């Protein structure tokens, strides 16, 4: 089995700042980590490889420092890592990100499965997985919490939806986005880390993608962030001490009655 | 006709899902600003609700596709049909709910149509000078609100967080038409097969549709104590939510998790008991209408986003609250809601 994992590097902080002019995130100076859900995608890929044999390849699009994320993935045990990094790709929305990734994937040769996170913790759209699959014209599923069966033709997966679980069959090649319930990601081993430090990253540039400039980066993005607000979330709560529990409950019950909740 | 708004609705358990009415209402407002029409598209195998209801609540036209193949959700069939309808009808704006199905098929449709898609919006408006759709959404764990435009590509597409907009009241004098669509057979010929759907019978799992969510965290200390929460939830006919810490401890299943790596909820009332209020949790519940926090630590960040807080031991507060609510319901003649 040849599995491609889509890895996104995200800022590891809650203090993310935006460039008010371009409406894009200022990523410099922030600690960066692998998008937490992508670790679960990676783990699932490694487990499938352990069971069925084959190869796990990761690809990430981002600034040069994305190399760190790929080295971490190498330390966890993937076989090959591709870094797609180019100024021309900067500022991409999900359409332009997916376009670039799907063109890059076409360069990586035959594959059976693409695994991605259900969503990234920064942009939080959850759109890149489904968009990549549509652009590659392969079947896909989302919110996958279990790979139940692997046959030579395809997979049976379970997905979590609002009211329960749905089982789906997908023939190869296909794409899945996973939720954290699917597995417990492993830690990189010391041996893995040493190997990862020496491993060679494969670099891809915008020119490798056979895309016109009008399909790339900010310029190629159909959506445009035009305004950013930092909402003040405080609601100025009425706070009661448990010493005044009776009064608190009187007031609360009144409020619930007014809201027609009871 | 050039500025029509197309809502892709949802039929769940043979009923028109509330998000469909919410979006129809918003679409009506947008279409009135644009001087255009609202069309609602429904795909289903069975629907017990009257389609006229959508016209009474703001639609000019209801388009429906009825087919046995639509019994279970199938992202590929949905993508095919919705893309086909969009190509034929050329809407100016296309909206669907940011539900598990909307967030699945809509990005695929956007990719096929080569247009932009704004995710999980909580605000929509028309910019007067340009007639463009202004799409507002929270991102980065609710730390920013971004306003997004799709200046040059059509349709302008957005998924919208359920429970964000209010349905219009029923106006039976409104007129409109109901049209059955018969998409080409080939659109049902797909690679993904939905094999079965298993309803989660564990208590009150549908936290995204609930009016009231009672959520607990690490503060309940051990699994036996979940019963205090269940009792309160039962009295309020509420769904049960949980922090990730509680889910990781296996005190309750993952479908109940609220937050950045769980579900996003916007109920009328959210009660958080023994939850500290980490940003990743808040990201999943801060758009709730009214938030009640119960925590023994007065410094817990959850109090900063609450409307109502009780500083104290939840084991003292929750049973007392449950008792009071039951009493209140009894007094009002046992009618809960
Ligand atoms: C505040 C804000 C709001 C935004 N809103 C929108 C919006 O509504 N619509 C829109 O089109 N764009 C939007 N964007 C842009 C969007 O965040 C970027 O395009 C981003 O690169 C991808 O989207 P995401 O973070 O939402 O990823 P998601 O779609 O949430 O990511 C899902 C998975 O796709 C894979 N993946 C995603 N990006 C990469 C990558 N670069 N390399 C490898 N794998 C990847 C990972 O497996 C990841 O887990 C917004 C950006 C900001 C800053
Ligand atoms: C990438 C990432 C994604 C995440 N996603 C999520 C997510 O989706 N959802 C989520 O919830 N978290 C998420 N987290 C975890 C989050 O950071 C917190 O760790 C988690 O929310 C804490 O859960 P908690 O409030 O139940 O536990 P704690 O933070 O341990 O808080 C327990 C609270 O209970 C109170 N308490 C204790 N005893 C009592 C008592 N007897 N009476 C009253 N109060 C009491 C304490 O004062 C404390 O405030 C994520 C973290 C990361 C890094």
């Amino acid at each position: 089995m040849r599995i491609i994992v889509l890895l996104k590097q995200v800022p590891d902080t809650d203090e993310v700042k935006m460039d008010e002019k371009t409406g894009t995130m200022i990523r410099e100076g922030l600690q960066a980590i692998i998008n937490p859900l992508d670790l679960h995608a990676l783990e699932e890929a490694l487990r499938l490889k352990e069971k069925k044999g084959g190869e796990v390849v990761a690809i990430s699009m981002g600034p040069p420092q994305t190399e760190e994320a790929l080295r971490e993935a190498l330390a966890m045990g993937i076989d090959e890592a591709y870094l797609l990094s180019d100024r021309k790709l900067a500022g991409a929305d999900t359409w332009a990100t997916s376009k670039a990734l799907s063109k890059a994937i076409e360069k990586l040769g035959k594959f059976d499965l693409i695994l991605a996170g259900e969503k990234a913790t920064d942009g939080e759209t959850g759109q890149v997985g489904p968009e990549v699959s549509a652009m590659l014209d392969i079947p896909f599923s989302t919110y996958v919490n279990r790979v139940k069966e692997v046959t030579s033709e395809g997979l049976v997966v379970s997905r979590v939806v609002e009211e329960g679980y749905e089982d789906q069959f997908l023939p190869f090649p296909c794409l899945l986005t996973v939720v954290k319930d699917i597995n417990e990601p492993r830690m990189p081993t010391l041996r893995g880390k040493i190997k990862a430090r020496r491993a060679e990253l494969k670099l891809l540039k915008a020119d490798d993608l056979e895309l016109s400039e009008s399909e790339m980066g900010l310029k190629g993005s159909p959506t445009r962030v035009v305004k950013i607000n930092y909402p003040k979330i405080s609601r100025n709560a009425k706070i009661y001490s448990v010493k005044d529990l009776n009064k608190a409950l009187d007031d609360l019950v009144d409020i619930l009655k007014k809201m027609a909740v009871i | 006709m050039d500025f029509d708004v197309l809502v892709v609705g949802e039929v769940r358990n043979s009923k028109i899902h509330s998000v469909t009415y919410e979006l129809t209402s918003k679409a009506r407002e947008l279409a009135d600003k644009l001087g255009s029409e609202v069309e609602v598209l429904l795909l289903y195998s069975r629907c017990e609700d009257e389609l006229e209801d959508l016209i009474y609540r703001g639609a000019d036209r209801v388009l429906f596709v009825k087919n046995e193949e639509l019994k279970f959700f199938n992202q590929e069939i949905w993508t095919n049909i919705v893309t086909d309808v969009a190509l034929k009808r050329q809407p100016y704006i296309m909206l669907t709910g940011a539900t598990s199905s909307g967030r699945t098929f809509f990005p695929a449709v956007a990719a096929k149509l080569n247009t932009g898609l704004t995710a999980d919006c909580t605000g929509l408006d028309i910019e007067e000078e340009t007639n463009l759709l202004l799409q507002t959404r929270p991102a980065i764990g609710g730390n920013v609100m971004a306003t997004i435009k799709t200046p040059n590509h059509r349709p302008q597409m957005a998924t919208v967080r359920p429970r964000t907009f209010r349905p219009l009241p029923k106006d039976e004098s409104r007129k409109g038409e109901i049209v059955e669509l018969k998409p080409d057979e080939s659109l049902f010929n797909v690679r993904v097969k939905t094999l079965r759907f298993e309803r989660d019978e564990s208590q009150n799992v549908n936290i995204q549709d609930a009016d009231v969510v009672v959520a607990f965290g690490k503060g309940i200390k051990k699994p036996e104590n979940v019963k205090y929460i269940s009792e309160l939830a039962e009295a309020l006919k509420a769904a049960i939510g949980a922090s990730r810490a509680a889910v990781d401890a296996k005190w309750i299943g993952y479908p109940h998790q609220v937050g950045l790596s769980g579900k996003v909820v916007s109920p009328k009332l959210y009660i958080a008991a023994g939850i500290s209020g980490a940003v990743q949790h808040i990201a999943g519940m801060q758009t709730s209408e009214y938030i009640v926090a119960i925590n023994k630590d007065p410094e817990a960040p959850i109090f900063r986003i609450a409307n109502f807080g009780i500083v104290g031991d939840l084991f003292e507060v929750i049973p007392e609250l449950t008792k009071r609510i039951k009493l209140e319901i009894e007094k009002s003649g046992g009618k809960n809601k």
Side-chain angles (χ1 to χ4, degrees), chain B residues 180-222:
Chain B
E180 174 162 18
L181 302 182
K182 294 268 185 199
D184 197 85
E185 277 300 311
S186 64
L187 302 181
F188 293 92
N189 191 359
V190 294
R191 299 160 293 190
V192 176
K193 303 276 180 271
T194 302
L195 306 172
R196 66 196 192 110
F197 172 68
E198 191 186 318
R199 191 170 300 283
D200 189 329
E201 302 293 352
S202 79
Q203 193 188 15
N204 306 329
V205 68
N206 192 353
I207 55 176
Q208 278 159 313
D209 283 345
D211 274 338
V212 183
V213 174
V214 179
F216 65 93
K218 204 72 201 242
I220 69 148
K221 306 249 168 27
K222 36 182 193 199

Side-chain angles (χ1 to χ4, degrees), chain A residues 6 98 101-102 105 114 128-137 175:
Chain A
L6 306 184
S98 306
L101 285 173
S102 56
I105 289 166
I114 300 176
V128 170
E131 292 197 30
V132 166
S133 79
M135 288 170 181
L136 292 170
D137 194 22
L175 181 148

Side-chain angles (χ1 to χ4, degrees), chain A residues 12 33 36-37 121 180, chain B residues 216-221 242-246 248 257-263 273-282 294-297 300-302 312-315:
Chain A
D12 181 20
I33 53 168
L37 282 183
T121 50
K180 78 158 184 113
Chain B
F216 65 93
K218 204 72 201 242
I220 69 148
K221 306 249 168 27
S243 73
R244 169 154 143 190
D248 284 352
Q257 184 179 318
V258 173
L260 192 55
S261 53
K263 288 177 180 162
I275 292 177
S276 59
V279 282
Q280 296 91 350
H281 186 79
I282 289 174
I294 299 158
N295 197 303
K296 67 175 184 192
D297 172 10
I302 191 78
D313 186 346
L314 73 91
F315 299 110

Side-chain angles (χ1 to χ4, degrees), chain A residues 95-108:
Chain A
W95 185 90
T97 300
S98 306
K99 196 76 192 172
L101 285 173
S102 56
K103 283 288 173 183
I105 289 166
E106 283 172 1
K107 300 273 151 202
L108 302 187

